[in-house]
Amino acid sequence: MIEDASGCRVDVWLWRARFFKTRTLAAHFVDESRVRLTRGGQETRLDKPSRAVKVGDNLVFAVGGKLTAVRVEALGERRGPPAEARGLYSPLQIT
């Protein structure tokens, strides 16, 4: 898959960061508008898995009853081991 150097599909990124076991589950989650993206101070609800995330974006979503807020630190090139996946994001304080 050829990716734009400045962005990555949100479903692919969520899968690479190991928030979901499959890319299909990540895509379905985004389809339900359950992911909020904050970029440049503007918050939007993502409605399509093809929407791009970029380094520096903030994502907020709830998985398994747990609210998760992260900053995208890297896009990644593959779905690697958990230690590699944790390098793709940094946790944020939920306010």
Side-chain angles (χ1 to χ4, degrees), residues 12-65:
V12 171
W13 188 86
L14 289 167
W15 173 70
R16 286 178 182 167
R18 294 186 161 264
F19 289 109
F20 295 92
K21 287 188 176 187
T22 67
R23 185 172 160 197
T24 302
L25 286 173
H28 182 67
F29 189 81
V30 176
D31 267 336
E32 294 177 344
S33 298
R34 296 173 63 184
V35 179
R36 290 186 316 221
L37 167 78
T38 304
R39 178 184 297 154
Q42 291 191 342
E43 184 177 296
T44 57
R45 208 171 269 279
L46 298 177
D47 57 349
K48 294 182 182 178
S50 61
R51 301 283 188 219
V53 293
K54 299 179 180 183
V55 173
D57 288 351
N58 295 340
L59 299 175
V60 178
F61 52 93
V63 177

